[in-house]
């Protein structure tokens, strides 16, 4: 009976452990940013932060505190634009400048965490900018699994070694966070640091609107949405989507334009469609997608952790929530 119950659960839901094929399986690790994320050459083993992913038998599948993996069911993708930054507050063009969150931005990130607190998360990707990393970290403080997000440092072999976690128990209670510049906000070139209102007064509202909302026109010495889309979508397809295919549940914390680019891909929008340039993403508001059989289905924004509608999207998410509730008692 227990085996039947767990067989119904969504792909990759892992409760207190991860039950997947061993490291080296192309089904899960066919495409990764760097092998240094997982392999410590000094000790000839996986990066300790991600070591639990390789333990196929880390958790007894018949245990009442474990959730099994069935790759035939769906996985979840959460997209979150960072909370309000200090330059958002000042109405400045931010782009790739590395600016932290405001107090309001911190509160938005925490509120986003409450909205997704019962949605499973196995792996987190963020941009390389502090506002996105802060948002992901703060959101996870609200998650019902109480796992700790740990940024994976793969800048060098020494960084990988020094950031190692050598407790199997602690590793199982951790979520890897992979940061990458490809998910950064688009680079606004000569506009970065300028006040948006003053810039519109200087160059004209129509010109500034064209720089900000057109698909293939870039601001002076900056990126267009098309240029941002090329790097963000390529990264998503190569390094994030394979995890969803394997049954992992992924959260991406990034920016208005890098997320707009990914949503174009998920919703199969063309550059000519008005939704692309008119799509507004509020700070700190999560968006939920379900991945099943190679297709993404938008489920909008979870409205809150106690709302039944959040879990009506898929029966498996409701089962997952029930399982977490039972583990907490």
């Amino acid at each position: 009976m227990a085996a039947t119950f767990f067989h119904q659960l969504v792909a990759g839901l892992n409760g207190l452990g991860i039950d997947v094929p061993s490291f080296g399986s192309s089904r899960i690790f066919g495409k990764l940013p760097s092998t240094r994320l997982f392999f410590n050459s000094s000790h000839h083993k996986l990066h300790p932060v991600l070591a639990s992913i390789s333990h196929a038998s880390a958790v007894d599948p018949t245990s009442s505190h474990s959730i099994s993996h069935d790759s035939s069911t769906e996985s979840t993708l959460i997209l979150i634009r960072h909370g309000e930054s200090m330059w958002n507050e000042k109405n400045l063009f931010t782009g790739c400048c590395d600016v932290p969150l405001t107090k309001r931005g911190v509160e938005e990130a925490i509120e986003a965490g409450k909205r997704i607190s019962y949605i499973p998360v196995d792996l987190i990707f963020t941009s390389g900018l502090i506002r996105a990393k802060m948002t992901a970290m703060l959101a996870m403080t609200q998650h019902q699994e109480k796992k700790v997000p740990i940024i994976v440092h793969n800048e060098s072999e020494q960084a990988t070694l020094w950031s190692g976690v050598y407790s199997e128990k602690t590793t199982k209670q951790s979520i890897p966070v992979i940061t990458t510049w490809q998910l950064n906000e688009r680079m606004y070139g000569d506009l970065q640091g300028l006040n948006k209102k003053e810039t519109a007064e200087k160059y004209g509202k129509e010109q500034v609107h064209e720089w900000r909302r057109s698909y293939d026109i870039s601001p002076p010495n900056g990126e267009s949405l098309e240029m941002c889309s090329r790097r963000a979508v390529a990264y998503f397809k190569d390094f994030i989507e394979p995890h969803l295919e394997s049954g992992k549940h992924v959260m991406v914390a990034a920016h208005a334009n890098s997320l707009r680019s990914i949503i174009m891909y998920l919703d199969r929008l063309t550059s000519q469609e008005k939704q692309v340039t008119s799509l507004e993403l509020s700070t700190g508001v999560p968006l939920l997608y379900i991945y099943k059989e190679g297709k993404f289905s938008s489920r909008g924004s979870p409205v809150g952790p106690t709302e039944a509608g959040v879990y009506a999207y898929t029966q498996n998410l409701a089962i997952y929530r029930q399982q977490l509730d039972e583990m907490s008692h």
Side-chain angles (χ1 to χ4, degrees):
M1 181 176 179
T4 302
F5 175 81
F6 290 116
H7 182 72
Q8 296 173 348
L9 295 180
V10 69
L13 296 181
N14 58 358
L16 301 178
I18 298 176
D19 182 18
V20 296
S22 61
F23 174 74
S25 168
S26 60
R27 186 164 67 87
I28 292 181
F29 300 117
K31 294 180 177 179
L32 290 169
S34 169
T35 55
R36 284 184 182 145
L37 288 173
F38 307 96
F39 189 78
N40 182 331
S41 60
S42 300
H43 292 268
H44 301 287
K45 62 181 180 181
L46 308 186
H47 190 292
V49 174
L50 300 182
S52 65
I53 294 178
S54 70
H55 296 312
S57 58
V59 178
D60 179 0
T62 64
S63 166
S64 62
H65 283 184
S66 56
I67 301 177
S68 70
H69 177 234
D70 181 354
S71 60
S72 66
T73 55
E74 64 265 324
S75 53
T76 54
L77 170 66
I78 301 167
L79 304 178
I80 304 180
R81 183 188 174 192
H82 63 81
E84 181 190 66
S85 76
M86 294 182 73
W87 278 13
N88 289 144
E89 183 182 47
K90 294 179 180 293
N91 200 31
L92 305 181
F93 285 101
T94 310
C96 287
C97 294
D98 211 357
V99 179
L101 300 181
T102 60
K103 181 177 183 294
R104 176 182 173 181
V106 169
E107 293 169 350
E108 288 176 339
I110 291 172
E111 177 60 27
K114 292 177 181 178
R115 292 190 181 196
I116 63 169
S117 60
Y118 280 99
I119 299 174
V121 178
D122 297 323
L123 189 59
I124 298 171
F125 289 85
T126 80
S127 77
L129 301 175
I130 188 65
R131 57 192 185 273
K133 290 188 277 189
M134 288 178 69
T135 299
M137 296 299 202
L138 289 167
M140 291 310 296
T141 65
Q142 305 302 305
H143 203 274
Q144 294 300 307
E145 280 196 335
K146 303 300 182 185
K147 289 188 176 183
V148 178
I150 299 181
I151 293 177
V152 176
H153 287 283
N154 66 323
E155 305 93 310
S156 65
E157 290 185 3
Q158 185 177 37
T160 302
L161 176 63
W162 284 24
S163 62
V165 178
Y166 297 99
S167 164
E168 184 175 350
K169 180 180 178 181
T170 300
T171 299
K172 290 178 183 178
Q173 290 299 314
S174 303
I175 296 179
V177 181
I178 298 172
T179 64
T180 176
W181 71 268
Q182 285 94 333
L183 295 178
N184 283 7
E185 179 59 285
R186 72 172 169 130
M187 203 272 282
Y188 268 103
D190 295 348
L191 301 186
Q192 290 185 171
L194 299 184
N195 181 276
K196 294 177 182 177
K197 182 180 179 181
E198 294 173 358
T199 304
E201 292 172 352
K202 180 178 180 179
Y203 294 100
K205 291 183 179 179
E206 290 186 5
Q207 176 63 77
V208 173
H209 181 78
E210 187 175 60
W211 284 334
R212 295 185 65 192
R213 289 294 179 261
S214 62
Y215 182 70
D216 55 2
I217 298 175
S218 60
N221 297 312
E223 281 186 307
S224 64
L225 177 58
E226 181 182 24
M227 295 163 69
C228 177
S229 180
R230 281 202 297 265
R231 59 173 164 84
V233 173
Y235 186 89
F236 182 89
K237 292 166 70 174
D238 286 346
F239 302 126
I240 298 178
E241 193 167 352
H243 288 287
L244 294 165
E245 291 172 348
S246 74
K248 294 288 193 305
H249 304 282
V250 177
M251 182 171 82
V252 177
H255 308 266
N257 284 291
S258 54
L259 290 177
R260 185 179 286 119
S261 300
I262 291 171
I263 289 171
M264 281 180 59
Y265 169 68
L266 300 180
D267 291 348
R268 300 181 181 180
L269 300 176
T270 67
S271 59
Q272 285 74 39
E273 294 183 81
K274 290 184 178 180
Q275 298 100 308
V276 174
T277 54
S278 63
L279 177 63
E280 293 290 343
L281 299 177
S282 300
T283 53
V285 177
L287 299 175
L288 176 64
Y289 281 80
I290 302 298
Y291 179 87
K292 185 175 183 180
E293 297 178 350
K295 296 181 180 179
F296 290 95
S297 301
S298 174
R299 295 295 183 265
S301 178
V303 291
T306 61
E307 296 287 345
V310 174
Y311 312 102
Y313 301 143
T314 167
Q315 181 183 7
N316 289 328
L317 283 180
I319 296 172
Y320 173 79
R321 181 187 182 187
Q322 177 185 359
Q323 180 69 3
L324 283 178
D325 285 341
E326 290 174 354
M327 285 190 275
S328 65
H329 296 312

